[in-house]
Amino acid sequence: MLSPSHLSRRAVLRNGLVAIGIASIIAACSPVVDHRGYLPQGDVLQKVQPGMSKTEVQALLGSPSTTATVNFHGDSFYYISDTVEQEAFFKPTVVDRRILAIRFNQNDQVESFATYGLEDGRVINFNTRQTPTRGKELTILQQLFSNIGKFSPGGNAVGGPAPGGSIGGSPF
């Protein structure tokens, strides 16, 4: 027979394990926040002025996240920063995005600059990773059983002419 103190220890142990399990489940459901990219802040941004050269901008802000050439009008630097949240196994969601765009003229001097946010963007689907196909899509079972009953035991298609002959009799 078990003593009452032994039963209370068992109850405390069980309750402790339940509490640890619940805490683990709650911790697993909290989102993972990931900060990506680099966006200059505060007083560093105030130092960017029209007329600065590309090398001066790179010395002040560092290398851009990406660059672009706009026909023959000059280049652009883009400094991009994202904040992404992901809960458990769900698809990551961008919750904040900041972009600093610096446009240069033909002489590689700052012409203009602007800061954009997530609300300024548009979603463009570059690649859906799906190849469009013609016809109907069949399941594996439909493919396996689709020819049952379409052919006669002699090897000729049901209802079609025999090779070298005609329907309903001799060719002569």
Side-chain angles (χ1 to χ4, degrees), residues 34-46:
D34 189 16
H35 299 282
R36 301 173 182 170
Y38 165 72
L39 185 66
Q41 299 293 322
D43 59 338
V44 176
L45 283 177
Q46 309 236 341

Side-chain angles (χ1 to χ4, degrees), residues 3-172:
S3 67
S5 65
H6 187 67
L7 289 176
S8 66
R9 283 188 211 154
R10 190 176 279 181
V12 169
L13 181 61
R14 183 186 67 227
N15 291 342
L17 289 175
V18 168
I20 290 172
I22 291 172
S24 299
I25 290 171
I26 291 172
C29 293
S30 64
V32 175
V33 179
D34 189 16
H35 299 282
R36 301 173 182 170
Y38 165 72
L39 185 66
Q41 299 293 322
D43 59 338
V44 176
L45 283 177
Q46 309 236 341
K47 293 179 183 177
V48 176
Q49 299 295 324
M52 290 178 73
S53 69
K54 277 186 184 179
T55 55
E56 289 174 325
V57 171
Q58 277 190 316
L60 182 65
L61 303 178
S63 297
S65 301
T66 188
T67 62
T69 302
V70 183
N71 296 336
F72 297 104
H73 301 292
D75 294 339
S76 296
F77 281 0
Y78 297 98
Y79 294 88
I80 304 168
S81 173
D82 284 339
T83 302
V84 179
E85 284 185 0
Q86 182 175 8
E87 290 187 27
F89 54 83
F90 297 110
K91 183 177 179 183
T93 305
V94 178
V95 294
D96 186 34
R97 177 175 291 140
R98 297 285 168 217
I99 300 172
L100 171 63
I102 302 175
R103 291 171 190 85
F104 297 95
N105 60 20
Q106 292 173 338
N107 299 326
D108 289 339
Q109 295 179 331
V110 175
E111 186 175 274
S112 64
F113 54 93
T115 304
Y116 301 101
L118 188 59
E119 63 279 355
D120 297 319
R122 321 179 268 203
V123 175
I124 299 173
N125 193 2
F126 288 107
N127 186 354
T128 61
R129 297 195 181 272
Q130 294 178 350
T131 304
T133 58
R134 297 176 59 119
K136 55 184 178 176
E137 296 182 19
L138 302 174
T139 65
I140 188 79
L141 292 175
Q142 288 172 327
Q143 291 176 21
L144 288 173
F145 297 116
S146 64
N147 289 329
I148 293 178
K150 289 188 179 179
F151 295 97
S152 67
N156 296 333
V158 175
S166 65
I167 297 176
S170 170
F172 300 105

